[in-house]
Structure formats: C-alpha cells, structure tokens
Amino acid sequence: MADYNSTKGDHVEIADDRDINGHSVVPTTTATKPEEQPELVAEGGVKRPGDRIFEFLSTASASLITIFIAAIGVFLVIRAVPAMQNNANGIGGFFTYSGDWDTSDVANMSFGIPSLFAATVTMSIVALVLAMPIALGVAIFLANYCPKNLVKPLGFLVDMLAAVPSIVYGLWGWLVLGPLLSKFYEWLHSWAGGFFLFTTYSNSPSFGTARNMFTGGIVLAVMILPIIAATAREVFVQTPKGHIEAAQALGATRWEVVRMTVLPFGLSGYISGAMLGLGRALGETMALYMVVGPSTEFRWSLFDGGTTFATAIARAAPEFNDPTRSGAYIAAGLVLFVLTFVVNAIARAIVASK
C-alpha cells in the first residue's frame, strides 16, 4: 500500500512490496520534483529576422542623420578657417567688425558678423513677440473651445500656413503687406519717432514700400505661427482628463480649467514650439530677401533696413566662385548653424525637463 512521508515536506510514494502474483519486489520511491524552469533567453527576448532588420535600419537612420549634421559642421569649419585667417581684423575682428564687407582682396579681407547677428536676432524677436500670443490663443481655442466638428478643418488650415513656400510669403509681404502698413508706420512714427526703435534715417526705406525690419518681423511671425500653435495644441489635448474633471468638480469655469490645468501641463510644449519657431525664423532667407531692404549697418530702428545671415549669404552667391572669398560668408553660415543648433537644443532640453 502507499505510504506518505513528509519529513522534508516532499510527497514520497512507496510502492507495495508485492506484485500481482505475490512475488516480492524491491520497493521503489518516486518524488515529485519542481517543474523544470524553461531556459532563459537572452536579454531583450528572441530576435526574429524582421526585428533584426528593423533594428538595423532604425539604428542606421539615426546614425546617418548624426553623420550628416557632423559633416555639415566639419565642412563649414574647413571652408571658414582659411577666410578668417585672411581677415584684416584677425579672427577676433570677425566678431567685432561691423562695417561694410570687403572681400575684393582675398589676402586682406574685411568682414564681421555683429550687424548680421543683431538684425537676425531683432527680426526673430519681433516675430516671437507677435506670434506667441496669437499661437497660444489658437492652440487654446482648438483644444478647449472649438466645436468638435470644426477642430479638424480649422487645425488643417492652421497647419497649411506652414506649407506655404517662403517666396510666396515674400511676394505677399513686399506687394501687399508693406504698402498696407505704410499708413500705420507713418502714424506710429509721428508720435514715437523720438524713440530709438521707431526713428528713421536719411537712407531708411520709405514708408511707401515699408521694406523695413518691422515688416520682416511681421512676415516671420506669420510663418512661425503654425509651428508654435500646432506644437502647443498637441500638448494641450493630452492634459489628463482626471485633472480637468477634478477642476470642474470644484466648480471651476472653463477658463479656470484652462488656466489651472491645461496651461501648466502644456507650458513646456508651448515654449519648445516657440523655440522651434525661432529656429525657423533665424534661418529664413527668401521671404526676408524680398521684404527687407539691405543695410550693412545696424542702428536699432525697426523702420530701418537690415541684412541677416541668410540674406547676406544669398546676396553674395555670385562671389562663391572663389573659395577664399566664399569662405567669409561660409563663416557667417557657421555662426548661424551654431545659433540654430543651440536654439533647438534648448527646446529639446525644455521638453526633457518636463
């Protein structure tokens, strides 16, 4: 008969000592063992051929982008260094010389970036100041106030602004917006002309054409508005429903819900979208080339002309047949490359921190 032994907590079965014919047999014991553990697979699980191919392609794509960016930076440095060594004012003069560029004598050139940097940053800041409040209002409306059947059509129209070519914005700013703003500029100058931002000089663009930095900033604002609005809206709609419902349960109005839950949650996305828009504004070429009159001197007036990094390089394209002469403008492009890289890195850091 079977017996049970629980000395060690194991279930032990002892077979009867006689078989069916009555013969004595050697008792046997069988113990139940824990189930065999399956063999552990390598970390990450079993990789099928499709997984390996996809992993290789994605890794190669990411590496290729990094290589491209690094290659662009190396190219700019290699082409810029010889020109900067031939700068009559030295390498330091590249960051301090604000006069007219003279690259006729490749062995003794005069060029610098202060005026280009100031004009680029000024028009970009004007664009941000004008675009950020409007983009915020558009994002809040589409995420919280717009009827559901109109969200997609209106969102599509806002996104379409980003698809309009730069040259179309340039034509619009030059032929339509500038003349339309001429009366406003005259009125503003009539009572604020004593302020340095709204003063004019003998060689400033006329108000009839309005090819000044103010018009350039407005055009840039229209161009970067969809970037900021789309980024902010995508973050606003991800506000946790529990936060919104909790605020409503406490009796908050719709605006109070937006102010206490949506805006704090989406602030990082709004700021990062603004930084991305700023990166677009810093590198804009064709629109500003057509809208803003050229000027190598920066005098802090929005009613004055200006030359940005991008427009300076575009206007100097006929000089690019000489490697040393073109290197002066490539050096300016290197500064613009670093500037936009820093702006986008700041945007990424803001998103990561939140």
Side-chain angles (χ1 to χ4, degrees):
M1 301 298 291
D3 191 10
Y4 296 89
N5 184 359
S6 58
T7 304
K8 296 183 178 181
D10 296 331
H11 171 208
V12 180
E13 182 180 347
I14 303 177
D16 193 354
D17 57 355
R18 294 182 183 275
D19 61 9
I20 190 170
N21 297 320
H23 297 97
S24 177
V25 296
V26 179
T28 60
T29 60
T30 59
T32 59
K33 298 180 180 179
E35 295 183 356
E36 295 289 341
Q37 295 294 332
E39 184 180 354
L40 296 178
V41 297
E43 184 178 356
V46 178
K47 291 185 178 180
R48 300 174 180 175
D51 295 332
R52 296 180 184 275
I53 294 174
F54 179 77
E55 180 181 1
F56 171 77
L57 292 177
S58 59
T59 304
S61 300
S63 302
L64 192 63
I65 293 174
T66 304
I67 292 172
F68 280 160
I69 295 175
I72 293 173
V74 170
F75 164 77
L76 293 175
V77 171
I78 292 175
R79 294 293 300 271
V81 169
M84 295 179 68
Q85 291 175 339
N86 291 338
N87 193 346
N89 302 293
I91 295 178
F94 176 70
F95 300 98
T96 59
Y97 177 75
S98 58
D100 295 339
W101 283 38
D102 184 7
T103 58
S104 56
D105 184 5
V106 295
N108 192 29
M109 298 184 293
S110 297
F111 59 93
I113 62 167
S115 297
L116 303 181
F117 181 87
T120 302
V121 173
T122 298
M123 282 187 275
S124 298
I125 291 177
V126 171
L128 276 184
V129 170
L130 296 176
M132 287 184 68
I134 300 175
L136 179 61
V138 171
I140 292 175
F141 174 76
L142 292 177
N144 297 274
Y145 291 92
C146 183
K148 292 184 178 180
N149 59 340
L150 295 179
V151 171
K152 288 186 177 180
L154 293 180
F156 177 76
L157 290 177
V158 173
D159 294 339
M160 279 296 296
L161 289 175
V164 177
S166 298
I167 194 169
V168 174
Y169 280 113
L171 289 171
W172 170 70
W174 180 18
L175 300 176
V176 178
L177 182 64
L180 186 65
L181 293 174
S182 60
K183 297 297 183 181
F184 169 73
Y185 288 160
E186 292 176 358
W187 171 81
L188 184 60
H189 180 265
S190 65
W191 61 269
F195 188 54
F196 70 96
L197 287 178
F198 305 113
T199 190
T200 56
Y201 301 92
S202 58
N203 59 345
S204 295
S206 67
F207 288 141
T209 60
R211 297 187 64 202
N212 51 48
M213 290 195 293
F214 203 164
T215 305
I218 296 174
V219 172
L220 286 180
V222 177
M223 296 179 69
I224 68 175
L225 189 149
I227 299 175
I228 305 174
T231 305
R233 175 187 167 231
E234 290 300 320
V235 179
F236 288 165
V237 296
Q238 296 178 20
T239 304
K241 295 296 183 182
H243 295 182
I244 297 176
E245 292 172 355
Q248 292 174 340
L250 294 174
T253 63
R254 180 175 293 186
W255 162 241
E256 289 173 337
V257 170
V258 171
R259 180 171 56 85
M260 293 188 298
T261 62
V262 176
L263 290 180
F265 179 82
L267 182 61
S268 62
Y270 174 59
I271 296 176
S272 63
M275 293 297 101
L276 293 175
L278 177 60
R280 166 74 186 275
L282 291 172
E284 180 53 43
T285 305
M286 288 308 302
L288 297 182
Y289 185 90
M290 302 176 68
V291 171
V292 183
S295 176
T296 57
E297 185 178 3
F298 182 77
R299 295 173 290 198
W300 296 100
S301 175
L302 296 179
F303 289 153
D304 205 2
T307 302
T308 65
F309 286 111
T311 56
I313 295 171
R315 289 192 174 95
E319 301 183 27
F320 288 176
N321 54 355
D322 184 274
T324 304
R325 189 178 300 173
S326 63
Y329 296 94
I330 292 176
L334 176 61
V335 176
L336 179 60
F337 175 81
V338 173
L339 185 60
T340 53
F341 185 83
V342 169
V343 168
N344 287 308
I346 292 174
R348 296 298 303 172
I350 292 174
V351 174
S353 65
K354 298 297 183 181

